[in-house]
Amino acid sequence: MATPSDRTPLAELVEELLATDGPLPIVAAGEPVLRRATEPFDGQLDAPLLARFVEALRITMHAAPGVGLAAPQVGVPLRIAVIEDPAPVPDEVRVARGRVPQPFRVLVNPSYEPVGTARAAFFEGCLSVPGWQAVVARHAEVRLTGEDEQGRPVDEVFTGWPARIVQHETDHLDGMLYLDRAELRSLSSNQAMSERWTQPTPETAAASLGFELP
């Protein structure tokens, strides 16, 4: 049986969310909206409402803070996500993780496919799973296709940390959390991360916690 929120048209749901100023509430793991495939965007929000929603996602992502946010994370089952990463990290982390700055951008109806077979494993967290991080092996390079908020086609290859971000956010749109792909023996609290696993790569964590890296 559908709940009232299930029956609420998406435009009405977004209008309700935008009725107050400031960051939107981020839903946490356990909420069904995070485990359902999203509805492809096909004009459910008119251009002004879409622009307001995108801006609210940007504000919420910055306030969290995070480097990406998908619409389901604010309770909207629509295939839209935003990413942005100023990459304020030391050079050794930048080199090890391939973490380079990414400008703010909107991903509409995105999908990705691997380029090559290389995989990279690093600790990863999620705004919808607060307080925890775990090592996830992801494709080192992906081709992302979709559109931007203006309906212009997107067809771009991402590598390094940007590839991780777009995979993480696109997975959200398919009802998947990073924990579904994680090495669960690596699961660590934020406190443990700050005390033990600040190294640029997770080799030390793998040896100490007993898991393998690709």
Side-chain angles (χ1 to χ4, degrees), residues 2-209:
T3 66
S5 61
D6 292 330
R7 296 193 296 267
T8 302
L10 286 172
E12 183 179 338
L13 174 60
V14 172
E15 287 281 13
E16 291 173 359
L17 279 173
L18 300 181
T20 57
D21 293 330
L24 304 175
I26 296 176
V27 302
E31 290 292 336
V33 69
L34 293 172
R35 290 311 202 169
R36 296 172 181 163
T38 50
E39 186 176 320
F41 179 75
D42 188 24
Q44 296 92 333
L45 313 181
D46 63 23
L49 183 55
L50 176 60
R52 290 170 56 209
F53 183 50
V54 164
E55 177 63 9
L57 290 175
R58 185 188 69 83
I59 290 170
T60 304
M61 175 179 64
H62 288 174
V67 297
L69 188 68
Q73 293 183 272
V74 296
V76 178
L78 197 56
R79 201 168 183 83
I80 295 175
V82 297
I83 65 172
E84 183 178 10
D85 185 14
V89 295
D91 283 347
E92 62 177 346
V93 173
R94 176 182 57 79
V95 172
R97 302 179 187 177
R99 187 169 177 181
V100 295
Q102 285 293 299
F104 177 75
R105 58 196 303 172
V106 184
L107 308 179
V108 177
N109 298 331
S111 62
Y112 67 82
E113 59 184 24
V115 176
T117 60
R119 297 174 69 81
F122 293 101
F123 274 102
E124 190 172 313
C126 179
L127 298 177
S128 291
V129 189
W132 299 90
Q133 297 183 48
V135 172
V136 184
R138 291 193 182 271
H139 303 298
E141 187 172 9
V142 295
R143 178 185 179 191
L144 185 84
T145 55
E147 302 170 348
D148 67 11
E149 70 275 28
Q150 303 296 328
R152 296 172 296 209
V154 172
D155 188 342
E156 187 171 341
V157 172
F158 290 82
T159 60
W161 205 259
R164 180 169 298 269
I165 295 172
V166 299
Q167 288 173 84
H168 180 116
E169 299 308 328
T170 304
D171 281 355
H172 270 303
L173 305 177
D174 294 323
M176 181 173 289
L177 296 176
Y178 84 98
L179 291 174
D180 300 326
R181 300 187 184 277
E183 171 51 69
L184 290 183
R185 289 186 69 92
S186 71
L187 187 64
S188 302
S189 68
N190 284 350
Q191 180 177 346
M193 287 296 303
S194 65
E195 293 176 353
R196 295 177 178 274
W197 313 131
T198 58
Q199 302 87 359
T201 63
E203 275 79 5
T204 300
S208 298
L209 299 176

